[in-house]
């Protein structure tokens, strides 16, 4: 098993031994190598000026490889962007919504999808929201909702509000294939804490979004869209980086052209500092042998300590504890140097691989006292 005491030595700038950081489901600490990489991005820019983009694209390729490993996929099917919203918008803009004016989702999606679909509904797109709970039967209930008017289904692999894992998503994929709809899976709250192999989950035909701000420890600016091998969608919301390889040639006229592979989903100029940081952190995880399987094993052990119960295979990487005064409890815990967060009447507690058992036991007692 991973040794948190030893691992914590690599997170000195986040002072993980001086405070109990239980916001791991939202924003995990970054290892020290991320600081060094961020400095290197500045130094490379100063040295190479505009030619630094050659180095930046190399870093982007390393980030693609990192995400591909976590998805059990290939880097050639990974598009990058600063956040998942950009990628979700490009995906939605590529759908044939005039012919198929229906989107199917759940009432438990993160705000990226929830807000955008609510706004589209105001403009006349039919948005069907299937109750997210119980998560155990969500996939089957989504599947029977899909029909030939459906352009796409958008659903999370792990629900952000309560960490419930949504099983059997292949049933949704199969339903989409029968009617010619697309499936987009939000894997943000699963990635690198709940193993998520597209092959094992039978989701090779799915689009998948996620990013590095949470369990991957990459910080902001590192989101991805995984697309199927034969994807031919043409995003309407498209940036000039989507024709980057043909800019030196005169436009041929006719339809707007797209670069092959990830270029189809590209935006425009971005801050590549995040990719320097992400590439270094992915290398660090490999060097430390922090695989999703080992991280899952450790996380469930940590959840056991915090909950005082035996492990629950149906939840992801954090605990959502009912607390009528969650905001006040969160503030009271912070005064004890225990960092948590809350949503509504839920106190959310997320361990991380650098949090020790002793820290977790201290936090568990403080949380029990606060809840009483």
């Amino acid at each position: 098993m991973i040794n948190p005491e030893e691992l914590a030595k690599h997170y000195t700038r986040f002072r993980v031994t001086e405070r109990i950081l239980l916001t791991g489901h939202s924003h995990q600490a970054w290892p020290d190598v991320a600081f060094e990489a961020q400095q290197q991005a500045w130094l490379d820019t100063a040295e190479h000026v505009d030619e630094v983009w050659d180095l930046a694209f190399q870093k982007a390729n390393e980030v693609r490889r990192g995400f591909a490993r976590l998805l059990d996929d290939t880097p050639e099917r990974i598009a990058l962007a600063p956040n998942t919203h950009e990628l979700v918008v490009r995906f939605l803009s590529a759908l044939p919504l005039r012919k198929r004016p229906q989107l199917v989702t759940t009432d438990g999606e993160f705000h990226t999808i929830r807000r955008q679909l609510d706004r589209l509904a105001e403009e006349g797109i039919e948005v069907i929201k299937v109750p997210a709970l119980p998560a155990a039967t969500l996939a089957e209930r989504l599947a029977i909702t899909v029909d030939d008017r459906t352009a796409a289904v958008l659903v999370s692999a792990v629900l952000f509000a309560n960490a419930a894992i949504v099983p059997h998503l292949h049933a949704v994929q199969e339903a989409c294939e029968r009617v010619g709809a697309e499936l987009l899976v939000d894997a943000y709250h699963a990635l690198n804490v709940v193993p998520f192999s597209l092959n094992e989950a039978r989701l090779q035909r799915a689009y998948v979004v996620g990013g590095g701000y949470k369990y991957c420890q990459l910080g902001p600016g590192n989101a991805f869209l995984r697309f199927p091998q034969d994807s031919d969608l043409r995003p309407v919301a498209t940036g000039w980086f989507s024709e980057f390889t043909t800019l030196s040639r005169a436009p041929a006229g006719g339809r707007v052209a797209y670069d092959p592979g990830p270029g189809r989903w590209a935006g425009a100029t971005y801050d590549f500092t995040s990719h320097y940081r992400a590439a270094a952190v992915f290398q660090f995880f490999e060097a430390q042998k922090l695989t999703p399987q080992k991280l899952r094993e450790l996380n469930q052990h940590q959840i056991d300590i915090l909950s005082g119960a035996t492990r629950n295979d149906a939840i992801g990487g954090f605990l959502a504890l009912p607390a009528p005064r969650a905001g006040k409890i969160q503030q009271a815990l912070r005064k004890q140097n225990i960092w948590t967060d809350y949503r509504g009447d839920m106190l959310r507690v997320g361990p991380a691989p650098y949090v020790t058992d002793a820290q977790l036991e201290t936090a568990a007692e403080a949380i029990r006292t606060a809840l009483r």
Side-chain angles (χ1 to χ4, degrees):
M1 183 180 285
I2 297 165
N3 185 336
E5 287 85 356
E6 287 299 314
L7 196 63
K9 296 176 182 178
H10 297 281
Y11 295 80
T12 60
R13 293 185 178 275
F14 267 78
R15 298 186 290 111
V16 300
T17 61
E18 300 171 25
R19 49 188 178 170
I20 302 176
L21 296 180
L22 296 179
T23 55
H25 55 289
S26 177
H27 185 173
Q28 291 205 4
W30 310 344
D32 295 337
V33 295
F35 180 77
E36 298 156 10
Q38 191 145 334
Q39 288 180 307
Q40 190 62 51
W42 199 101
L43 294 172
D44 281 356
T45 304
E47 177 66 24
H48 299 284
V49 196
D50 202 39
E51 293 178 359
V52 75
W53 283 100
D54 291 335
L55 296 174
F57 293 153
Q58 292 176 23
K59 296 297 182 183
N61 287 334
E62 291 181 40
V63 177
R64 288 190 181 93
R65 285 194 290 270
F67 283 129
R69 284 194 299 271
L70 298 181
L71 295 169
D72 192 16
D73 202 30
T74 174
E76 290 72 25
R77 291 201 282 272
I78 303 291
L80 302 175
N83 54 71
T84 56
H85 180 253
E86 284 190 21
L87 294 163
V88 169
V89 166
R90 286 175 209 151
F91 171 79
L92 291 170
S93 78
L95 297 175
L97 292 174
R98 286 194 183 94
K99 296 179 180 178
R100 308 177 73 113
Q102 182 188 90
L103 297 170
V104 176
T105 188
T106 83
D107 63 3
E109 297 308 303
F110 187 70
H111 310 303
T112 294
I113 290 174
R114 186 268 310 164
R115 177 179 169 85
Q116 192 62 66
L117 295 194
D118 284 354
R119 184 65 184 89
L120 285 175
E122 292 179 345
E123 297 301 315
I125 300 298
E126 181 184 1
V127 176
I128 297 177
K129 291 189 178 183
V130 175
L133 298 178
T137 61
L138 176 55
E140 288 79 7
R141 289 182 285 115
L142 285 168
I144 63 174
T145 307
V146 175
D147 59 34
D148 57 8
R149 298 180 70 252
T150 305
V153 177
L154 298 91
V155 58
S156 292
V158 173
L159 301 179
F160 88 99
N162 60 6
I165 295 174
V166 181
H168 312 309
L169 286 174
H170 62 87
V172 188
Q173 180 65 77
E174 292 164 3
C176 287
E177 290 186 50
R178 282 196 293 270
V179 300
E182 306 291 355
L183 170 63
L184 184 140
V185 178
D186 182 350
Y188 217 136
H189 290 83
L191 205 68
N192 218 30
V193 72
V194 177
F196 191 77
S197 165
L198 294 174
N199 292 316
E200 292 180 8
R202 288 180 280 167
L203 292 174
Q204 295 94 336
R205 296 281 307 147
Y207 293 81
V208 181
V209 290
Y213 191 73
K214 303 178 188 297
Y215 300 100
C216 291
Q217 302 180 8
L218 310 183
N222 292 295
F224 71 88
L225 170 71
R226 181 270 178 187
F227 52 91
Q229 183 173 3
D230 57 352
S231 172
D232 60 358
L233 294 183
R234 302 176 70 246
V236 175
T238 182
W240 68 275
F241 271 38
S242 282
E243 57 181 11
F244 205 83
T245 62
T246 61
L247 282 175
S248 60
R249 299 196 295 269
R255 299 180 87 198
V256 172
Y258 296 82
D259 279 356
R264 178 179 293 267
W265 303 94
T269 310
Y270 60 91
D271 182 359
F272 52 76
T273 304
S274 60
H275 289 168
Y276 270 74
R277 190 174 62 237
V281 174
F282 273 135
Q283 291 172 11
F284 169 78
F285 267 62
E286 279 199 282
Q288 297 293 323
K289 297 180 172 56
L290 301 177
T291 65
Q293 291 73 22
K294 288 183 179 180
L295 290 166
R296 174 64 169 167
E297 181 183 2
L298 174 61
N299 177 266
Q300 289 194 304
H301 165 75
Q302 294 177 322
I303 293 291
D304 289 350
I305 294 174
L306 287 169
S307 66
T310 55
R311 69 183 51 184
N312 183 349
D313 292 335
I315 68 168
F318 67 96
L319 288 175
L321 304 173
R325 296 169 298 167
K328 291 184 177 180
I329 291 174
Q330 186 257 357
Q331 294 173 13
L333 291 170
R334 179 69 65 85
K335 291 178 181 178
Q336 301 176 61
N337 216 16
I338 300 170
W339 295 52
T340 62
D341 78 348
Y342 68 98
R343 292 290 185 274
D345 289 337
M346 286 288 201
L347 182 72
R348 301 199 308 171
V349 182
Y354 44 76
V355 182
T356 67
D357 285 5
Q359 288 178 314
L360 292 169
E361 289 163 0
T362 297
E365 180 58 34
I367 291 168
R368 284 192 289 268
T369 300
L371 290 175
R372 285 197 294 267

